Each structure stands twice: as C-alpha cells, then as structure tokens.
C-alpha cells in the first residue's frame, strides 16, 4: 500500500486551516497544520512534505520568509502562497522568491484542488534531465546556467518572459520548461502573435460560437481552451495590438475567457510563457506595449544567450546537425575540417542557431567529397565601407562586436594565407606569438 502524500498548512486562522484540512482530506491527502513560521519550520525539520500551503501574513513573520527558508533547506518541496484578494504585487513577490503558485482569499476550492494536483505531480514525476541533451546543445557556462534555470523555473507556475534574439531557441526553452514541469502530460500550445491577422485575434485566442459572425459555421475553441491544463507560449508577444493586449491581460488575471458569441465565461487553467526578440522595456516606453500587461507577463525574465556569446558550442551543434543530416539521407557522416570550423567560430551569426543549422544544411547539399569547405558555408560578408567614407554608424549596432569582427576576419585571412601556420600568421600581422595565441583564445579560434 503506497504512502499517502503529505501537505503542510500554515495559517493563523483556525477556520482557514480547518477548511483546507477537510478539502485535502477528501483528496486522500494527509495534512499537518502550523499557526506561524516557527511551528512550520519545526514541522519541516521533523517530517518530509510534498507541498506547503502558507498564508502571507503570520503572527511571527510572513510567508515570504517561509518560502525563502524552504528554498534554502527543503528546495524539493513546492510552496503555494495564500494572499489577500487583489494583492497581486504580493503574489508576484512570492513567485519571484520561488513559490510554486498562489491562491487568493476567499479560497476557491476548485482552484485549490487544481493547484494541489499540479504541485504534487512535481514529486511523482521521474527526473529526466538527460532528455534535453539532444535539443539544447552546448556545454559552455552560459548553457549550463540556462539548463539550471530551466529546471528551477519548471517547478514554478510563474509567468516567464523569455528574452533573446531571433533564432536563439526561445521556443525550445519554453517547451523544455513545460516538459520538465507538472503540466508535461497536457498540451503545449505555441502561437506566433505576429502571424495572426488583427481581425481574427479574438477568435483565435478565445474561440467563437456558431453563427456569431459571418463565416462562423461551427463552434471553435480558442488557444486558451486548447491549452487548458497545459502551457500557452506567446511568441513575438510585442506584436499584439493594444486592443488585444487589454483582452489578454483580463484573461490572464481572471483565469477565464468568453468565446465570441458566448454567454458565459469559461474558467481556464493555463500557464503563460511569452517571448519576443524586441526589447519590451523599450516597447513600453514607446507606448506600444501596456505596462500592466508587461508586469503580469514578466514576473521572471529568462535570457537565452546568442550564439556569439557561446562560440565554444558551435562545434558540438555543427557536428550534431551534420550527423542528423547524414542519418536522414542514409549517407556517411560529412566532415567539417578545422579551417571551416574556425571560419564558423569567427562568424557573428546574427541569426543564431537557426542560421547555423540552415547554413550547414545548404553546405551539406552543395559540398563535394563528403567534406564541407569554407566556400560551401557561404558566410555572409559584413558590408565594407569605402576608405573614403569610413565606417558608418548605420552598420554598427555594437562597437565591441564590430571591432571584434574586423579583428577576427583579418586573423582568419592571415591564417588562410599561411596555411594555418600560427607563427607565420603572427609575423604577417606583426604580432608576437604570445599576443597571437591570446587573440586566438579570446576570439574562440583555437
């Protein structure tokens, strides 16, 4: 007979404690109750718990202190915060501190049961950290840190804003957060907000009833209904028009939607993740994105590093792509010689991993003798200003990157001309060998 899961309830109001104990008992769960932070910490030291439900206001402290204590000493235990109605700022602070989710008073018992069921899935789901290895490639420090953040954020229900450049893998990161969390068995619904015509947005997001407008020949569920119980990923969320931003904010806050032509609100349980390649702060400052929606979506920001910040991962990604291409074609693996790899490491990759994958697929098709050479890669040359005009600020988005790209290009040219003889290349550039070696390491060309 399996042991029943155990919940710690922390609240100084006897009526609330009793209500929670009865509700959880009917769910076949064991409970322990504490009236304050001190008693809660004593229970945590004595017994193992599968979930902690804590009020925000306690006689000897507050729930945030308990969240931080559990994060530090019992980080396998998810914590849900119970806050006063309308205390959204408090709930956001709790989520940022590491809380799994939050409830508002008076406690909605249906919502409580959903939250508890979702949180308990964290404890029974097997650890499958290795499953991301074949998709989120790279052993560099930025990627190791990103994996740790994904694993941590997967245990929360906090809305997450995934920032990063186009092609850096934001949707993959969102998908991994979903797959490693308690909603993994439910739907992951990605949507490109910039690809939906403005006149169809409300129908796409919230659905419509048959006959509600011309062309509505049958009932259609919206994205929120399809994602119910799972995760809705809003890619390029900055492209939403202001009118739709208002409706999206209401749906997130109220956790309910109404289909076009519908008479009743439908409760939805959806975790919202969003992303954009634009700077949302700038969009808010320019008046193109609502500040209240920004604060609701950006509870936690997760930055995906561009490929140029992790050049040491290029070889691993390239080899993986080439192996996949060869396997699907039933052919022997195509080689990437050192000079071609060095050229890739010297390229800025404005399109990031997606550009690298496309570049290798094209090179794989065009190359001869199962070997990809530099000319097969067709690396885009940065525009060269004439000596008369000099560099143009219009072509420079970052001075350090611009200067680094020039340095890398000249070093690669010297290496090519000297058949990769480093000593000769250093002499060609009038550098000492030590200086040459330092620059090669700095630029990831070793």
């Amino acid at each position: 007979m399996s042991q029943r899961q155990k919940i710690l309830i922390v609240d100084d109001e006897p009526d609330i404690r009793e209500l929670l104990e009865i509700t959880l008992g009917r769910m076949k769960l064991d409970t322990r109750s504490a009236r304050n932070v001190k008693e809660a910490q004593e229970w945590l030291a004595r017994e193992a718990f599968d979930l902690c439900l804590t009020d925000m206001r306690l006689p000897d402290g507050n729930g945030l202190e308990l969240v931080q204590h559990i994060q530090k000493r019992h980080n396998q235990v998810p914590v849900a915060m119970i806050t006063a109605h309308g205390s959204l700022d408090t709930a956001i602070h709790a989520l940022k501190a590491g809380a799994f989710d939050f409830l508002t008073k008076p406690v909605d018992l249906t919502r409580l049961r959903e939250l508890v069921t979702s949180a308990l899935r964290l404890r029974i789901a097997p650890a499958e950290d290795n499953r991301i290895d074949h998709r989120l490639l790279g052993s560099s420090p930025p990627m190791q840190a990103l994996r740790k953040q994904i694993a941590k954020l997967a245990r929360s229900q906090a809305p997450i804003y995934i920032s990063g450049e186009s092609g850096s893998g934001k949707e993959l990161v969102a998908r991994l957060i979903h797959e490693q969390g308690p909603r993994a068995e439910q739907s992951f619904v990605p949507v490109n907000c910039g690809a939906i015509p403005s006149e169809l947005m409300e129908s796409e997001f919230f659905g419509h009833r048959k006959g509600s407008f011309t062309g509505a020949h049958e009932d259609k569920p919206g994205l929120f209904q399809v994602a119910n119980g799972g995760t809705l990923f809003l890619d390029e969320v900055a492209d939403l028009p202001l009118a739709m931003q208002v409706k999206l904010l209401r749906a997130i806050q109220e956790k309910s939607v109404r289909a076009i032509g519908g008479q009743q609100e439908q409760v939805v349980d959806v975790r919202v993740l969003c992303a954009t390649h634009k700077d949302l702060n700038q969009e808010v400052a320019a008046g193109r994105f609502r500040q209240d929606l920004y604060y609701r979506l950006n509870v936690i920001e997760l930055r995906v590093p561009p490929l140029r910040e992790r050049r040491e991962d290029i070889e691993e990604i390239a080899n993986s792509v080439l192996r996949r291409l060869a396997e699907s074609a039933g052919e022997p693996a195509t080689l990437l010689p050192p000079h071609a790899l060095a050229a890739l490491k010297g390229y800025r990759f404005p399109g990031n991993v997606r550009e690298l994958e496309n570049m290798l697929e094209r090179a794989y098709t065009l190359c001869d003798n199962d070997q990809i050479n530099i000319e097969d890669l067709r690396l885009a040359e940065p525009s060269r200003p004439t000596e008369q005009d000099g560099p143009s600020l219009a072509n420079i988005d970052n001075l350090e990157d611009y200067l680094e790209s020039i340095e890398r290009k000249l070093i690669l040219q010297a290496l090519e001309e000297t058949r990769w003889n480093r000593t000769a290349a250093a002499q060609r550039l009038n550098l000492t060998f030590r200086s040459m070696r330092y620059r090669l390491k700095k630029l990831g060309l070793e």
Side-chain angles (χ1 to χ4, degrees), residues 322 326 329-337 363-373 376:
L322 292 174
E331 298 175 350
T334 300
L335 300 176
L336 195 65
Y364 177 83
T365 304
L366 297 175
C367 73
D368 297 319
N369 303 319
D370 296 328
Q371 178 168 298
I372 293 176
N373 294 306
D376 298 318

Side-chain angles (χ1 to χ4, degrees), residues 112-184:
L112 169 66
R113 285 188 284 268
E114 289 174 350
L115 183 152
V116 170
T117 301
S118 183
L120 292 179
R121 289 198 199 108
L122 285 172
R123 302 303 304 273
I124 61 176
E128 296 184 39
D129 292 341
N130 291 333
R131 67 180 147 187
I132 69 174
D133 290 351
H134 68 289
R135 288 179 289 172
L136 195 65
L137 294 172
S139 306
S140 62
M143 293 308 288
Q144 292 179 31
L146 180 61
R147 285 195 190 91
K148 289 180 181 177
Q149 288 176 300
I150 288 172
K152 182 177 180 180
L153 294 175
R155 295 179 58 80
S156 164
Q157 294 301 289
I160 298 172
Y161 164 45
I162 304 170
S163 63
E165 298 177 3
S166 293
S168 58
K170 298 186 293 296
E171 182 175 335
L172 173 58
V173 167
R175 192 176 291 275
L176 292 173
I177 290 172
H178 168 78
E179 290 178 2
Q180 294 183 41
R183 297 174 180 264

Side-chain angles (χ1 to χ4, degrees), residues 399-417:
L399 181 60
E400 291 296 330
D401 284 346
Y402 179 77
L403 295 175
E404 186 179 285
S405 68
I406 294 175
E407 182 180 15
R408 182 179 290 105
K409 183 174 177 57
L410 292 174
I411 288 176
L412 277 172
Q413 184 179 335
L415 287 167
E416 288 287 337
E417 290 178 2

Side-chain angles (χ1 to χ4, degrees), residues 4 32 36 40 68 108 124 183 259 297 342 363 378 419 421:
R4 300 212 315 183
R32 303 287 185 271
N36 51 48
Q68 291 162 351
D108 181 308
I124 61 176
R183 297 174 180 264
L297 293 174
R378 297 188 180 182
R419 296 187 179 182
N421 184 315

Side-chain angles (χ1 to χ4, degrees), residues 33-95:
S33 294
R35 294 168 296 178
N36 51 48
V37 174
K38 183 173 181 295
E39 286 185 10
Q41 291 176 348
E42 290 172 351
W43 273 118
L44 287 162
R46 287 196 302 267
E47 298 188 21
F49 289 93
D50 298 284
L51 172 65
C52 174
L53 297 170
T54 178
D55 192 17
M56 179 60 189
R57 294 175 178 270
L58 297 167
D60 59 344
N62 61 55
L64 284 178
E65 295 174 24
L66 190 55
V67 171
Q68 291 162 351
H69 173 82
I70 290 174
Q71 282 286 302
K72 185 176 181 180
R73 301 193 180 186
H74 312 277
N75 64 2
Q76 78 283 3
V77 180
V79 190
M81 183 75 71
I82 302 173
T83 69
H85 180 70
S87 301
L88 185 58
D89 288 344
T90 300
I92 288 175
H93 283 308
L95 291 170

Side-chain angles (χ1 to χ4, degrees), residues 288-331:
R288 292 187 291 267
F289 201 83
R290 291 181 62 95
Q291 189 174 53
D292 47 7
L293 178 58
Y294 171 71
Y295 285 134
R296 194 68 186 87
L297 293 174
N298 188 24
V299 172
I300 298 173
E301 180 174 352
L302 179 61
R303 179 178 179 269
V304 182
L307 190 54
R308 64 180 175 276
E309 290 183 7
R310 53 185 189 100
R311 296 183 190 277
E312 58 264 55
D313 293 332
I314 289 176
E315 182 173 6
E316 181 181 347
I317 297 170
N319 288 336
S320 174
V321 172
L322 292 174
R323 279 196 303 271
R324 172 170 51 81
L325 291 171
E327 287 173 6
S328 62
E331 298 175 350

Side-chain angles (χ1 to χ4, degrees), residues 222-241:
L223 294 165
F224 271 86
Q225 291 95 327
V226 173
N228 193 20
T231 302
L232 179 61
F233 173 55
L234 305 176
D235 198 8
E236 300 304 345
V237 70
D239 291 342
L240 286 174

